[in-house]
Amino acid sequence: MSPVFNFSAGPAVLPREVLLEVQQELLDWHGSGMSVMEMSHRGKEFMQIAAEAEEDLRSVLGIPKHYKVLFLQGGATTQFAMVPMNLVRGRTSIDFVDTGHWSKLAVKEARKYCANTRLVTSSEASGYRDIPAFESWERDPNAAYLHYTSNETLGGVEFPYIPDSGDVPLVCDMSSNFLSRPVDISKFGLIYGGAQKNIGPAGLTLVIVREDLLGQTVPGTPTMMDYKIQADGDSMYNTPPTFAIYVAGLVFKWIQRQGGLKAIEQRNIEKAALLYETVDTSGGFYISPVEKAFRSRMNVPFRLADPALDEAFIKEAAARNLLQIKGHRSTGGMRASIYNAMPLEGVKALTGFMQEFARSHG
Ligand SMILES: *Cc1c(COP(=O)(O)O)cnc(C)c1O
């Protein structure tokens, strides 16, 4: 069978090397005679797996000591509620940057815990094609925190910088570009993301949070949703998603073997450049809806100028093992997600096909 290239937005492609390791260790992890799936989360084997996963993530991202790393469940969507429950801390407003689908959902959920959710800026009027200049944002210096989405997975809009929120804690939904480039963790109060885009299997949610923000939850916060309790219990207050943590740990080691986040970023830049260039030089056959400065390196939406060809495009792509490139149902068109684990050869196979399709249908 010739290789399949999977452009799904999530759950998404994982490094082949990692999947092979998982396969090899599936029945007998390191001579334990057990599968990781069968291990007690409090046994010495799994404790070692979890500790190494955290250690490796800390080293890959350069996470300072005064930040906690939590391995939780519930996806990024659960964080839309957990973040305000934990971080409102008696303040009366939260600042939000609205750059599309996911930031909108985060605002909607936060409103249940804080009546005054302010939009400091929104690109809705322009159809979420860009990000309004930072200088134009109307921020509240007393806000509980400033929330933004570093990469809008649906719209393909990515921040090329980290906003400077001053003394207001900066909170970021990094679900779809987590570990795609180096980031200065010290600029953030909290970062969260579902694992299934760029980290590992679905079922695991990562949170990195500055210690001093913990311990002031809103009344009625469920035990499982209290970051402080999760941090004090090393994310094992109850049974954690053990197998997903194990696979994520292997992905962190894979990133280290690739040369770390700097090397990963270089590859991501190269892959995205090739794909956008193919769109831009297609003579209008393919169209990118996003302003150049904010084009995502991870999720590349594009349309065919003639939508009547959409079906043929998807069908012919699938016949060449180029899978899951249909755009989100709300946007139509195509979307190629090219996360860390998508090799350059996959992007080359896609762009080669796109050029050929344009020639034969143009
Ligand atoms: C996928 C995604 C989510 C939702 O993640 P779940 O884990 O399904 O809850 C939230 N934000 C962003 C940016 C995403 O890409």
Side-chain angles (χ1 to χ4, degrees), residues 74-78 80 102 149 151-153 173-176 192 194 196-197 205:
T77 306
T78 300
F80 294 165
W102 293 114
T149 308
N151 184 62
E152 283 283 356
T153 321
D173 176 358
M174 227 178 249
S175 293
S176 53
Y192 65 91
Q196 71 275 18
K197 310 282 165 63
T205 311

